[in-house]
Amino acid sequence: MLNELFQQDYNPPKLEKEILKFWEEKEIFKKSVEKRKGNERFVFLEGPPTANGSPHPGHVLTRIMKDVILRYYTMNGFYTPRRAGWDTHGLPVEIEVEKELGLRTKQDIEKYGVEKFNERCRESTFRYENEWIEMTKRIGFWIDMDNPYITLDNRYIESVWWSLKKIWEKGLLYKGHKVVPYCPRCGTALSAHEVAQGYKTIKEPSIYVKFKLKEKDAFFLAWTTTPWTLISNVALAVHPEESYVEIEYEGEKLILAEKRLENLFAGKGYKVIRRFKGRDLEYMEYEPIFKFVKPDKKAWYVVCADFVTMEEGTGIVHIAPAFGEEDYEVGKVYDLPIVQLVGKDGKFDERVKPWKGMFVKDADPKIIDYLRESGALAWEEEYLHEYPFCWRCDTPLLYYAMDSWFIAVSKLRENLLRNNENIEWYPSHIKHGRFGDFLREAKDWALSRSRYWGTPLPIWICQKCGETMCIGSIEELKSLSENFPEKIDLHKPFVDNLILKCPKCKGEMKREDYVIDCWYDSGSAFFAQWHYPFENVEEFKNNFPADFICEALDQTRGWFYSLLAVSTLLFDKPPYRKVLTLGLVLDKQGQKMSKSKKNYVDPKVIFDNEGADPLRWYMISANPPWAPIRFYEEAVKETLRRFMLTLWNSFKFYLTYAQLDKFDPRKHSVDVKNRMHLDRWIISKLQNLIGEVRENVEKFELQKASRAIEEFVVKDLSNWYIRRSRKRLWIEEMTQEKASCYSTLHDVFFTLSRLLAPFIPFMSEAMYLAIKTKDMPESVHLLDYPKKEERLIDKDLERAMDISRRIVELGRVLRGKIGIKVRYPLSKAIIVCGNDTKREIENLLELIKEELNVKEIIFSGSREEAMRTIGENNYAEIEGEGIYLVVDKRLTPELFAEGFSREIVRRIQAMRKEMNLSIEDRIETEISVNEKGREAIERWKDYISGETRSKKITFTEEAKGELIKKWKIGDVEVTIGIRKGA
Ligand SMILES: [Zn+2]
Ligand SMILES: [Zn+2]
């Protein structure tokens, strides 16, 4: 089957389907893992995707990269089981179901019924599972999809509960009233790492607002980028240590920080009247702009706070403790009231009469209009800043004071940083940069979500005495519950129905009505996938920490963070040793791909048109793994043409001849040391390549590894070795020369099939299957990765070949300068070089001569001597890296005739091909050409007839035939007509 495939043109989709069938039938993946059982482990942890949407190019990229590394370590003898996982909870799932059902608010969901809603969520989590499995198989990613871990599984949830109880016992799980990032559409608080997923740069109004001092004819000038929060203003904050000024400007007295004066009023004709220390302004009262409710505590005075910045604004900050973390904190210090006039839906409530029911951000322009009309607006500017949006539904987030459950991660900052020190990051700058920065400022993890589809928070509170318990297992739940059912689903609403008996007062305990952040679920994968500690304790120990994880850059503050946080909380150890962070996948224009813009190619199109191997090779070789990569079809096509086809054709060339000659490596193999120079050279290059590939893969420098392979295949193997070796294979009998070449090609391709196996597993397999003999393992993926063999490396020979190739290249350039093509032989070339160089390349002289197409090569010690030898007017020369090449540029009639006849042969061959003639078909040839051309052809008539199987060559005024073509060869015009002869 496969031998036949290699007689055809390269058709990856067709080939790959055959290989997939072969892998499946023979269970090659399973065998490749089992074969290494008992060896040292290479532990991989799969970051679980959500299967409620189709996989996109980013997923394809991560799967390719993971696969390359895992196959590499497997072939290096490591026991590398790979288990798939699915992330199934949380907002990503809920929002899709809401859309489907046309539900817009949480009330809608409640009305629809939580049980039914969650049932729909459960169904939807695997809606695209088949598409995912299909893609995973098609791309060649070997991972066990039959036995995945799933975060909605009762056992998984139980492990998560166990971990939360551990954290509770350490006193690190608590309920607090805090200002948290909040999505008004989803109606839930979000965690800092969720917020980090959704920053966008937007333009918003920023306004300068005047607050009139009480009983004085002056104003505090404050600045804000969230006009809607002015409704809840209760104070103004100044920096106690900074200097403030009162100025007179256009007839008004304004107070602001002195350091901001230049920025805001330069050249505007103001006059400074007075100076104060910020501290002196403390407790000064002002008149409120909005007074929709009467605060329950003293409000509207100046407070001091260190967070007031002199970098922007006026140095006076408006304070609304209901909507800002810092506002809330300073509010606690000064016992400020909290004026909350915004509902959980992000809209003003009925007390804000003019704008009631309006989403706060939409009310901004109206509020600004009001300020302008009432004279409180000093001026307005546009402000470009980073603002967080909900990572799932794209609604602008609000900061909102509310009750939430937190994990006190901020107390573990030191531990997080210490554990991070034991992780190898690729690329390394992320460790102390993007990731380290986030750890240094780690906030308490807002864990609870006021949602439905997720791991329920296992906290029960006694309604009578307030006793609070964190439940850590199903057993524990059972023991405290009087209505525990036969079978339990640990989701809402079932867990909510469980009423526990308070161990203190026998009162009723009810569950806190929250689910948890789904990032906590996936961050627990390293133990929860084993149902640890309830089962598989050994298995967990053997797999912790993971040796390798790999996801896209956007997981830095996502899964990479949640894993480290959970692992630090529970075990105070890093959960992974090496992490490979992949660049983002962009579209052809370099734009970020987005679901809404649909600006990406469906990977399936590429699988069907170009195939998986070319896509893999493109993704691997285009950029370092951590750099962004453009994903588009033409790029894959180009890779296919540039590399894959060259590899295929080279291999096909070898296979065709080897089969024709019945070459059997076991019978005809020639020992490397007895092979020809060219053979030993390519073997030596191959050994270096092995070393280079290994070194780079171990540093995840996959691009460097693949580029090295590509250079070897295209430049060394195809364009030099095979081209130089063709003639040897045309000899009829199996000479030593020929066997030496076959042995070499066999070694090269057998090694390449293994070397390439992690990168392009399909073509490698096909190559291997085509050359393997019965006694060899059934798949290349069951073999060991090649190791560099120092004894086969011949540095002197490599150097000599380098010099020879340089001389050949010099010849090519020189011929371009004098306008004589390589097809025309020259009589003489003189290489001017030192004795050492001469000695080095002496063995390769025959090769250089052929490549230069000269009749004679001589060496000379000096340029002058070389020129004298050829004669003043007849030489042409060129220099490169200390070597001179001098040639006799005279094209004698003899030399011209030889070259010209070759040109004629080449053209007649092309015409034969165009007429689809077979090798045996004879032809008749008519040629119209000038005297010079005719003379040349006459000299080589026998040669031309033989090469082109022309029975007869005639010269006419006007050449006729079944096919007639006109050419200009050099300055000679030729018309050739051929017809199929009898
Ligand atoms: Zn949202
Ligand atoms: Zn109680």
Side-chain angles (χ1 to χ4, degrees), residues 462 464-467 502 504-507:
C462 176
K464 217 161 117 193
C465 76
E467 169 72 0
C502 174
K504 281 237 174 99
C505 76
K506 309 283 176 219

Side-chain angles (χ1 to χ4, degrees), residues 676-722:
M676 297 177 63
H677 284 103
L678 190 63
D679 302 329
R680 282 191 281 115
W681 169 75
I682 194 84
I683 293 290
S684 178
K685 291 292 261 190
L686 181 65
Q687 294 307 318
N688 285 323
L689 176 69
I690 295 169
E692 205 177 336
V693 169
R694 283 182 157 275
E695 206 175 289
N696 279 307
V697 174
E698 270 153 41
K699 293 184 291 188
F700 301 126
E701 293 273 13
L702 301 185
Q703 184 200 25
K704 287 188 184 162
S706 63
R707 287 286 167 99
I709 295 176
E710 197 164 318
E711 189 169 314
F712 174 85
V713 168
V714 176
K715 278 170 78 180
D716 296 336
L717 180 64
S718 169
N719 286 354
W720 191 253
Y721 179 79
I722 290 183

Side-chain angles (χ1 to χ4, degrees), residues 20-264:
L20 282 172
K21 224 172 19 184
F22 167 74
W23 286 345
E24 205 137 305
E25 277 170 19
K26 306 276 179 185
E27 298 189 298
I28 302 296
F29 168 43
K30 200 170 146 200
K31 285 178 189 165
S32 80
V33 176
E34 294 304 312
K35 191 181 169 194
R36 281 94 183 184
K37 201 166 186 168
N39 296 1
E40 194 183 331
R41 280 171 188 258
F42 184 74
V43 179
F44 167 67
L45 181 60
E46 162 75 338
T50 307
N52 77 329
S54 304
H56 65 70
H59 299 122
V60 173
L61 174 73
T62 46
R63 305 214 141 203
I64 291 172
M65 295 300 178
K66 288 171 186 174
D67 191 58
V68 174
I69 300 302
L70 295 169
R71 284 179 188 266
Y72 174 82
Y73 278 94
T74 303
M75 288 183 81
N76 273 291
F78 288 86
Y79 179 49
T80 311
R82 286 149 249 183
R83 188 178 187 198
W86 297 111
D87 199 8
T88 52
H89 280 151
L91 283 175
V93 182
E94 287 195 44
I95 287 170
E96 286 307 310
V97 173
E98 280 180 72
K99 274 190 210 151
E100 259 168 57
L101 297 174
L103 307 176
R104 307 189 55 158
T105 62
K106 281 164 66 176
Q107 288 89 315
D108 289 349
I109 297 174
E110 307 264 349
K111 235 184 280 164
Y112 178 81
V114 174
E115 185 177 343
K116 257 165 56 190
F117 179 77
N118 272 357
E119 199 39 54
R120 293 295 289 257
C121 287
R122 181 188 285 273
E123 279 164 29
S124 90
T125 41
F126 289 108
R127 181 153 313 155
Y128 293 89
E129 189 190 11
N130 281 338
E131 237 179 272
W132 273 87
I133 292 176
E134 199 51 42
M135 178 277 273
T136 304
K137 284 190 178 160
R138 188 63 191 83
I139 198 69
F141 179 31
W142 275 356
I143 190 160
D144 180 3
M145 316 254 303
D146 299 331
N147 178 36
Y149 70 86
I150 305 170
T151 59
L152 61 72
D153 196 284
N154 261 2
R155 283 167 302 173
Y156 197 97
I157 293 175
E158 191 180 27
S159 287
V160 170
W161 278 11
W162 164 82
S163 71
L164 288 171
K165 180 162 186 173
K166 281 271 157 220
I167 294 167
W168 167 259
E169 284 168 351
K170 290 180 185 178
L172 296 172
L173 181 61
Y174 69 95
K175 190 177 192 173
H177 189 78
K178 280 197 194 185
V179 171
V180 287
Y182 174 83
C183 174
R185 197 222 66 93
C186 298
T188 185
L190 299 173
S191 57
H193 52 261
E194 280 176 307
V195 175
Q197 312 280 317
Y199 273 97
K200 283 189 208 171
T201 306
I202 52 163
K203 224 184 237 170
E204 281 196 302
S206 83
I207 55 172
Y208 293 80
V209 185
K210 295 184 291 185
F211 290 86
K212 191 180 167 303
L213 274 72
K214 213 167 176 180
E215 287 147 19
K216 266 192 201 117
D217 187 21
F219 297 90
F220 290 116
L221 187 64
W223 176 71
T224 179
T225 58
T226 48
W228 63 270
T229 58
L230 287 170
I231 307 289
S232 299
N233 171 273
V234 293
L236 295 172
V238 296
H239 196 291
E241 306 307 327
E242 294 288 343
S243 168
Y244 286 77
V245 287
E246 183 175 328
I247 61 166
E248 197 168 299
Y249 173 68
E250 292 187 339
E252 274 182 334
K253 288 178 185 136
L254 301 173
I255 297 171
L256 70 154
E258 186 165 15
K259 280 190 184 148
R260 301 300 301 160
L261 200 52
E262 269 302 296
N263 296 65
L264 299 173

